[in-house]
């Protein structure tokens, strides 16, 4: 195998690793946003519960005032009973008393309902606050995990970048240009190993002449797959390894 082809094989391995690292790094902000979204949702739940409780307390105060107001009206109407001179006036006064007492009773019912619901809203606030404590605890753990992962990925990517520079410096410019052009068109994979006389990436059969040329130790020619245009290479394997291992081309991921 040409030394330059081996360098390209090593370069491709580094480039694929870099693509993986960059993909994982690019996904981290979205993961962190999802973590922060849980915190925001927890805060919103607390705010909604507190708002419901505040509204309940306002209504409770209003109904307390209603109860006192109608009871006071009924009391005043009863006091006026001794001053009434006619049956018609007395009946009218009794009607007002009954109306005031009815309104007072209804206001008391509303007040009782609001007191019960207010207790429930208070429980909801406390439950939301307890849940938020757990959310914050889990979120902080997730932040630390994602932060550590980000630092590790960046360090790994920096090492691979340095490794890539070394490899690129050793590859002839025209060959590097060829490699990078194919990689852009073929999902980052510019080279394909010949396996069972087929392109290891697209599965196209390779002519016996090309296979034989690539197997020659003194070969200096560059060959491309006629279908996917990837640069072909051949690795001579021991018979036992060849029998045990090479997966068929159609079992590889479709990156043609």
């Amino acid at each position: 195998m040409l030394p330059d082809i081996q360098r390209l094989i090593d370069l491709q391995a580094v480039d694929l690793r870099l693509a993986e690292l960059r993909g994982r790094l690019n996904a981290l902000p979205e993961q962190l946003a999802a973590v922060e979204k849980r915190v925001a949702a927890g805060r919103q739940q607390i705010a909604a519960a507190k708002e419901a409780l505040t509204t309940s307390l306002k209504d409770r105060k209003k109904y307390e005032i209603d109860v006192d107001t109608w009871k006071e009206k009924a009391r005043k109407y009863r006091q006026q009973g001794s001053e009434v001179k006619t049956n018609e006036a007395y009946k009218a006064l009794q009607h007002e008393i009954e109306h005031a007492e009815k309104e007072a009773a209804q206001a008391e019912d509303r007040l009782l309902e609001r007191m019960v619901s207010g207790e429930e809203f208070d429980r909801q606030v406390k439950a939301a606050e307890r849940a938020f404590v757990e959310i914050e605890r889990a979120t902080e753990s997730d932040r630390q995990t994602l932060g550590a992962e980000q630092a590790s990925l960046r360090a790994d990517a920096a090492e691979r970048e340095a490794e890539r520079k070394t490899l690129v410096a050793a590859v002839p410019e025209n060959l590097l240009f060829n490699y990078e052009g194919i990689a852009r068109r073929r999902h980052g994979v510019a080279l394909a190993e010949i396996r069972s006389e087929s392109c290891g990436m697209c599965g196209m059969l390779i002519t016996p002449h090309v296979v034989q040329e690539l197997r020659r130790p003194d070969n200096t020619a560059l060959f491309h797959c006629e279908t996917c245009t990837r640069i072909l290479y051949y690795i001579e394997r021991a018979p036992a390894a060849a029998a045990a291992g090479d997966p068929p081309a159609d079992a590889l991921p479709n990156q043609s």
Side-chain angles (χ1 to χ4, degrees), residues 218-230:
D218 60 344
N219 172 63
T220 59
L222 195 67
F223 294 93
H224 293 259
C225 173
E226 293 181 359
T227 301
C228 69
T229 73
R230 291 183 174 94

Side-chain angles (χ1 to χ4, degrees), residues 90-178:
Y90 181 79
K91 288 179 180 179
L93 189 59
Q94 285 297 115
H95 175 75
E96 293 297 334
I97 293 172
E98 290 172 2
H99 175 70
E101 289 177 342
K102 181 180 178 181
E103 290 294 337
Q106 291 177 347
E108 284 180 332
D109 289 342
R110 290 193 295 270
L111 176 59
L112 180 59
E113 289 175 1
R114 189 52 59 187
M115 290 173 67
V116 172
S117 62
E119 291 175 356
E120 176 58 27
F121 290 137
D122 186 56
R123 283 193 293 270
Q124 290 178 8
V125 169
K126 291 176 180 176
E129 288 174 340
R130 288 194 299 270
F132 186 70
V133 170
E134 294 302 318
I135 290 172
E136 281 195 313
R137 184 180 294 114
T139 297
E140 183 58 31
S141 176
D142 289 343
R143 287 193 191 106
Q144 291 178 5
T145 299
L146 291 173
E149 182 180 358
Q150 185 180 58
S152 175
L153 291 173
R154 284 176 174 171
D156 196 353
E159 289 182 12
R160 300 290 81 77
E161 289 282 5
E163 185 179 355
R164 189 182 197 279
K165 287 182 180 178
T166 301
L167 290 168
V168 164
V171 178
E173 186 175 348
N174 63 330
L175 185 58
L176 180 64
F177 180 81
N178 191 3

Side-chain angles (χ1 to χ4, degrees), residues 44-59:
Q44 186 176 7
Q45 188 173 3
I46 291 175
K50 286 184 174 180
E51 183 178 358
L53 177 59
T54 299
T55 300
S56 175
L57 292 174
K58 288 179 180 179
D59 289 346

Side-chain angles (χ1 to χ4, degrees), residues 16-29:
L16 291 174
R17 176 59 177 165
L18 273 170
E20 177 195 355
L21 293 171
R22 287 165 182 159
R24 290 169 63 185
L25 280 167
N26 289 338
L28 286 177

Side-chain angles (χ1 to χ4, degrees), residues 1 5-6 9-10 191-196 211 214-216 232-239 241-242 246:
M1 182 188 297
I5 297 299
Q6 183 58 59
I9 293 171
D10 295 339
L191 289 90
E193 181 184 356
I194 294 177
R195 298 177 178 177
S196 302
V211 176
L214 288 172
R215 292 183 69 180
R216 286 174 48 201
L232 297 171
Y233 66 94
Y234 187 91
I235 297 177
E236 199 73 51
R237 301 180 185 277
D246 286 347

